[in-house]
Amino acid sequence: MQLLLMSSMVCVYIQVEAVGDEDAVADTITVTVNVLDVNNNAPRFNQEVYTAVIRERRKPDVPFVQVSATDKDDPTTPNARLRYSLVSQVPNNNNIFLFQIDPETGEISTTEEGEEMLKAKPGIQFSRGEERSIDSLERKFDDYCPGQKIPYEQNPFFSCVATQEMKRRNLDPVEDPDYILFVRVQDLDGATATGLSATAKVYIIVQPNLWVNPGPLTIEENLKGDYPRVVAKVQSNDPDAGYSLVQKERELRFPFQIKENGEILLTEELDREQKDMYILVVFAKDSNDIEVDPPMEIQVLVKDVNDNEPVCENEETEMEIQENEPFGSEVGQLVAHDIDQPGTINSLLTYTIVSEGPSSSQSSFSIDQSNGRIQALRLLQRKEQNIYNLDIKVSDSELSTICKVIIKVIGVNNEEPEFEKNYYGNHSLAEDAEVGSTVLTIKATDTDEPDTGSSYIMFDISKGNDGDVFTVETDGKGVGYVVVAKPLDFESRSTFDLQIDARNTEPLRKGVEYTSKSTATLTVNVNDVDEAPEFMMDSMDVVVPENFTKGSVLLKINAKDPEGSEISFKLDGDDKGWLEINPATGEIKTKTKMDRETLETFDVTVTAFEKNNPDRSSERAVHVRLLDVNDNVPKLTKNNDFICMQNIKPLIIEANDGDADPFSAPFDFAFTKKSPNWKLTKRDDSSAQLQLTKKPLKEGTYSLQITVKDRAGMGIPNLFEVKICNCTAFGYCYTPPHGKSFKPPMGLTIGILVGVLGFCAIVFIIVVKRSSRNKNDNQPEDGERKPMM
């Protein structure tokens, strides 16, 4: 039998074989034994004691410490599935839990009650820069308890304060905790009574949260006294923090400052009517300009005071009332304003009539004290008094002003307007008469009281004015001018029979009606003129692709002559000669191929004219915009460059494309045929880097085929030549003084060398033979020697 143990210790494999007379009588078999986990290990906390320091008013559900435990049982089974719970809290006098624990993660946070009820031990607060010594504590003690004559070391109260202050500074959660939490962890997910458990303690100290918003602050406007003055104070939890103050609205006027000790100062009087609220943002930062507390927004409300008197809307308010109006008839309403805070007693207005002229024993008017509505108290007769002057006092709670009101009593409208004549005859106008032209002048009179609504005359065209072609202008004094309000069109309508009514702005007295006396008629005849042709199209803009087929119709001009004359068309302004127009039909066609890269937009002028009278013409501009098509391929901006053998550097190659997006950049660069000696890398949308991968052995010129494709994938190979050369000190290719030297081929060089050597051998043999012959021959008589080669 062979025993195999798995590393997980959950399975055991046993191999069994049968043996008889020391020989195996059967094959070996494997027996698998599964070891099942039982809950025989209690969970254990990683620490027996946890400590934490928190501040007052900590937000609920924000963890400040986490407990953690482990269980040696099988982690895949409930035996190791742990759940945390809070057993008790000490102290807990009111039986209110100020803390809570996440049952799955063990994270501990405050409850909503904890946010409100957690309090730190009282202590002495120090501002920035204050020394935290026993001497400083003695000075603060003298400020709080002046007149103490007992020495500090014998004063039990001071000793108590000093002891508590030292304990507060030297926080030790284990020695002197504010709260102790007993936390339990239980396996089996805490669901059964048979689960095993463990307990840990959490010692908690509560520190004071000094970073408390003092707002909202209420400051009275126009507050008198010395400035700057302290209106609030903030205290950071970091005693060494520095403070800064800004205005949230970022306006120019900011009458607040903050001192080094956190005191917020108001630097000048406030005016609620200019600004009724400020939002101050206070920052607390350490010496490294890092925030030690979250920014604090303090709201400052400006309290209204009654510093603005009521204001009349008009210096004098004029009102009218007809005579014999019944008691209580409304005359009008006086309007006044107060810019103090709305909805308060400072802006609540009351109205009172303080004088009425001319004075009489009986008042003629009353006013509603709350809204300024004026009513008549008796029947008014114009012949008795036609104008009344009222002084009305408008008051808020403290201030007041006088508003003047003039009331005119007007006569009853018992007379209708009458025209000087009821028929104004026939009038002729050319159809091209300008808008605003006067057709004729009409007059009417009214015998009611002048300069009142009863005698003010308005004119209205009540019949025959189809399309509102005419209107009557008047100043209200009985004179009217019939004018052309819209363009005339003989072809649409040649005759207008107009009826004009004269009316008052005030209604007629009951029982009086308008009659034929207040109505006049006239006839307007429109004379035909030879008008220029008219275009029947609202828009003449054309957008076409630049490869628009030659001879295709770009646009058909629709125009007609008002008199029905035959018209013709012509086209001007086509500098490129791309377009032509059919004179008879108005069809604009392409005459040649258009090119957006040459001209993207252009305007041409179409003229429509009468065939028999070309002077009668109209012009319209046709705006043409060409859309790009991919009819250009990317090309290299240069086709050659050089590389210095002494300083091999990559070359930058660039390309451009006459097309626009999306038929242009970004470009793709690639070798048409791969080269082992060169590397091509894209640099940006329109350029690439060409790099020599091997060091060259000699000078020479290399021809490379580089294909550049645009965004749409269109491109062709571009020839790019690279010259590799020796360079001067200034980085330019070196050229020999007499041009490039000739270097013959190797075979030719060897042939020349052999020929030269052969020639030298022949010359040498001839010289030797002649020298030998000269020795045997007699010398010449004159002693001359023959030259020897």
Side-chain angles (χ1 to χ4, degrees):
M1 180 177 69
Q2 182 180 5
L3 182 64
L4 299 176
L5 298 180
M6 299 294 289
S7 61
S8 63
M9 299 299 290
V10 295
C11 294
V12 176
Y13 296 98
I14 303 174
Q15 292 184 346
V16 181
E17 61 182 7
V19 179
D21 296 333
E22 297 182 357
D23 295 325
V25 297
D27 294 334
T28 300
I29 64 172
T30 300
V31 179
T32 302
V33 179
N34 291 320
V35 181
L36 299 178
D37 183 48
V38 295
N39 192 19
N40 59 350
N41 288 284
R44 294 176 62 87
F45 277 99
N46 297 342
Q47 300 173 218
E48 293 184 0
V49 175
Y50 295 83
T51 61
V53 178
I54 65 171
R55 292 197 179 274
E56 298 172 333
R57 291 179 287 279
R58 185 179 180 86
K59 294 295 182 183
D61 303 321
V62 179
F64 59 85
V65 69
Q66 183 179 20
V67 298
S68 179
T70 57
D71 195 311
K72 293 183 178 180
D73 289 320
D74 187 353
T76 63
T77 67
N79 297 335
R81 194 171 301 150
L82 306 181
R83 193 169 187 84
Y84 301 92
S85 60
L86 194 59
V87 178
S88 61
Q89 165 191 302
V90 179
N92 192 4
N93 300 329
N94 299 320
N95 197 27
I96 298 175
F97 274 90
L98 307 181
F99 304 92
Q100 57 188 345
I101 189 169
D102 189 305
E104 296 182 358
T105 65
E107 293 176 332
I108 298 176
S109 59
T110 59
T111 61
E112 292 182 358
E113 293 81 3
E115 181 187 13
E116 299 295 330
M117 300 176 63
L118 282 175
K119 299 297 179 185
K121 295 174 183 177
I124 303 298
Q125 305 302 330
F126 293 89
S127 300
R128 184 182 186 188
E130 282 191 283
E131 182 184 3
R132 296 167 183 78
S133 64
I134 192 69
D135 293 336
S136 177
L137 188 62
E138 290 175 356
R139 288 193 297 272
K140 286 184 174 289
F141 184 80
D142 291 338
D143 292 338
Y144 284 109
C145 302
Q148 297 289 327
K149 299 181 179 180
I150 304 174
Y152 296 113
E153 63 273 7
Q154 298 178 13
N155 191 325
F157 179 65
F158 178 78
S159 300
C160 176
V161 171
T163 302
Q164 289 299 110
E165 179 62 19
M166 294 305 296
K167 289 176 66 177
R168 192 174 68 85
R169 290 188 201 169
N170 303 313
L171 294 175
D172 188 344
V174 177
E175 292 293 331
D176 188 20
D178 292 322
Y179 292 91
I180 302 175
L181 305 182
F182 291 87
V183 180
R184 175 188 292 131
V185 62
Q186 191 173 11
D187 58 16
L188 296 178
D189 208 17
T192 64
T194 59
L196 304 178
S197 63
T199 304
K201 296 179 182 179
V202 181
Y203 292 86
I204 300 174
I205 283 182
V206 181
Q207 286 186 325
N209 185 3
L210 307 177
W211 191 240
V212 180
N213 195 323
L217 307 176
T218 300
I219 303 175
E220 191 175 272
E221 68 172 329
N222 304 322
L223 191 61
K224 304 301 180 183
D226 296 331
Y227 287 89
R229 62 171 62 193
V230 178
V231 294
K233 183 176 182 180
V234 295
Q235 177 71 52
S236 172
N237 290 311
D238 183 347
D240 294 322
Y243 303 99
S244 60
L245 183 66
V246 298
Q247 183 179 194
K248 187 174 182 180
E249 298 89 346
R250 303 291 184 185
E251 295 181 2
L252 295 178
R253 185 171 182 265
F254 185 50
F256 295 92
Q257 296 175 354
I258 192 166
K259 294 174 64 177
E260 188 179 63
N261 63 357
E263 290 182 342
I264 298 175
L265 306 176
L266 175 63
T267 60
E268 60 185 65
E269 295 181 14
L270 301 179
D271 186 354
R272 190 205 67 83
E273 285 71 44
Q274 290 185 2
K275 188 172 179 60
D276 61 357
M277 184 182 71
Y278 297 84
I279 298 180
L280 315 181
V281 183
V282 184
F283 297 93
K285 299 181 180 180
D286 61 15
S287 58
N288 296 320
D289 203 36
I290 298 175
E291 294 182 4
V292 295
D293 290 298
M296 180 188 297
E297 291 189 3
I298 303 175
Q299 189 180 58
V300 179
L301 304 176
V302 184
K303 183 180 179 181
D304 185 45
V305 297
N306 194 4
D307 58 343
N308 292 281
E309 65 181 21
V311 177
C312 308
E313 187 174 72
N314 301 300
E315 291 186 8
E316 289 184 346
T317 302
E318 292 188 0
M319 301 179 184
E320 291 182 353
I321 184 172
Q322 282 190 344
E323 60 181 345
N324 296 321
E325 288 287 332
F327 294 92
S329 297
E330 181 176 343
V331 181
Q333 185 171 9
L334 177 63
V335 180
H337 306 281
D338 193 311
I339 62 174
D340 286 320
Q341 186 172 357
T344 67
I345 195 171
N346 296 335
S347 61
L348 183 63
L349 303 182
T350 58
Y351 301 82
T352 307
I353 298 176
V354 294
S355 69
E356 178 183 313
S359 59
S360 63
S361 59
Q362 183 181 5
S363 296
S364 302
F365 304 95
S366 70
I367 190 169
D368 189 307
Q369 289 190 336
S370 62
N371 60 25
R373 180 170 172 261
I374 300 174
Q375 295 171 278
L377 294 179
R378 61 186 182 88
L379 295 178
L380 301 174
Q381 299 291 329
R382 183 177 180 280
K383 62 183 179 179
E384 176 185 323
Q385 181 67 37
N386 63 344
I387 293 180
Y388 292 87
N389 294 289
L390 305 183
D391 287 341
I392 299 177
K393 181 180 180 181
V394 184
S395 309
D396 57 24
S397 59
E398 298 177 2
L399 306 174
S400 64
T401 190
I402 299 297
C403 298
K404 295 188 176 295
V405 177
I406 299 174
I407 300 176
K408 295 180 179 180
V409 181
I410 60 176
V412 177
N413 189 10
N414 53 9
E415 297 291 340
E416 65 172 321
E418 294 185 11
F419 277 101
E420 62 177 354
K421 53 184 177 181
N422 296 110
Y423 180 62
Y424 280 88
N426 288 297
H427 300 269
S428 297
L429 286 176
E431 66 173 321
D432 59 355
E434 293 183 2
V435 172
S437 301
T438 300
V439 180
L440 80 158
T441 301
I442 57 177
K443 292 182 180 180
T445 57
D446 193 306
T447 58
D448 286 313
E449 181 186 353
D451 301 324
T452 66
S454 299
S455 62
Y456 190 96
I457 300 174
M458 301 178 299
F459 296 100
D460 174 60
I461 303 177
S462 57
K463 290 182 181 180
N465 192 24
D466 296 342
D468 297 327
V469 175
F470 301 96
T471 188
V472 181
E473 297 177 353
T474 180
D475 58 1
K477 296 181 179 180
V479 179
Y481 304 93
V482 180
V483 297
V484 179
K486 293 181 180 179
L488 302 172
D489 185 7
F490 172 83
E491 288 70 29
S492 298
R493 184 166 181 176
S494 60
T495 302
F496 294 86
D497 294 316
L498 304 180
Q499 177 177 302
I500 303 175
D501 298 329
R503 297 291 184 263
N504 298 132
T505 55
E506 288 288 337
L508 294 174
R509 181 175 59 83
K510 188 176 181 180
V512 179
E513 301 291 340
Y514 290 105
T515 67
S516 59
K517 296 179 181 179
S518 60
T519 298
T521 60
L522 69 145
T523 300
V524 179
N525 297 309
V526 180
N527 298 328
D528 188 24
V529 296
D530 188 7
E531 298 174 276
E534 297 176 354
F535 289 94
M536 312 304 294
M537 307 167 66
D538 294 330
S539 174
M540 297 177 71
D541 293 345
V542 182
V543 180
V544 294
E546 61 177 320
N547 63 346
F548 200 63
T549 306
K550 176 183 175 182
S552 298
V553 176
L554 196 70
L555 177 68
K556 187 178 186 305
I557 304 300
N558 187 8
K560 70 174 184 178
D561 185 77
E563 290 77 37
S565 301
E566 186 178 357
I567 64 175
S568 186
F569 301 93
K570 68 175 181 177
L571 182 70
D572 297 305
D574 181 16
D575 298 335
K576 301 297 180 182
W578 288 344
L579 306 177
E580 62 183 357
I581 191 169
N582 187 312
T585 64
E587 291 181 338
I588 300 176
K589 296 182 179 181
T590 55
K591 187 167 59 173
T592 60
K593 182 180 181 299
M594 297 182 290
D595 183 18
R596 187 202 66 86
E597 286 70 39
T598 301
L599 188 63
E600 183 175 359
T601 62
F602 60 94
D603 292 327
V604 294
T605 302
V606 175
T607 304
F609 57 91
E610 293 181 9
K611 209 167 184 180
N612 296 328
N613 186 10
D615 292 337
R616 286 293 181 181
S617 62
S618 299
E619 293 182 352
R620 285 284 293 275
V622 178
H623 181 74
V624 181
R625 182 164 69 92
L626 301 181
L627 299 178
D628 190 30
V629 297
N630 202 0
D631 58 347
N632 290 280
V633 295
K635 295 181 180 179
L636 296 178
T637 57
K638 62 180 181 179
N639 298 102
N640 57 77
D641 209 335
F642 68 91
I643 295 177
C644 295
M645 295 183 67
Q646 296 89 340
N647 184 16
I648 298 177
K649 293 183 178 179
L651 300 178
I652 303 300
I653 59 175
E654 297 180 333
N656 57 24
D657 192 321
D659 293 320
D661 188 69
F663 305 124
S664 185
F667 301 134
D668 288 329
F669 296 83
F671 287 119
T672 307
K673 183 178 180 182
K674 290 186 177 179
S675 174
N677 299 327
W678 300 91
K679 181 180 179 182
L680 191 61
T681 307
K682 186 173 180 179
R683 184 166 169 263
D684 54 32
D685 286 351
S686 60
S687 66
Q689 179 176 282
L690 180 64
Q691 187 174 1
L692 187 61
T693 59
K694 295 181 181 180
K695 186 175 181 180
L697 299 177
K698 59 180 180 178
E699 297 179 277
T701 300
Y702 296 84
S703 297
L704 303 175
Q705 292 287 337
I706 298 176
T707 299
V708 186
K709 293 184 179 180
D710 60 21
R711 188 175 180 181
M714 179 179 287
I716 60 173
N718 289 258
L719 177 63
F720 188 78
E721 291 187 344
V722 182
K723 182 179 181 180
I724 299 177
C725 59
N726 286 299
C727 290
T728 65
F730 296 102
Y732 298 101
C733 278
Y734 171 74
T735 302
H738 300 290
K740 188 173 180 181
S741 60
F742 173 72
K743 294 182 180 180
M746 185 61 71
L748 178 60
T749 303
I750 294 174
I752 294 173
L753 182 60
V754 172
V756 171
L757 291 176
F759 176 75
C760 291
I762 294 171
V763 172
F764 180 74
I765 293 171
I766 294 172
V767 170
V768 172
K769 285 184 177 182
R770 285 192 175 188
S771 177
S772 176
R773 184 184 307 164
N774 289 336
K775 289 181 180 181
N776 297 326
D777 294 340
N778 293 324
Q779 296 295 329
E781 294 180 358
D782 55 2
E784 293 180 359
R785 295 187 178 182
K786 294 185 178 181
M788 180 178 65
M789 184 178 291

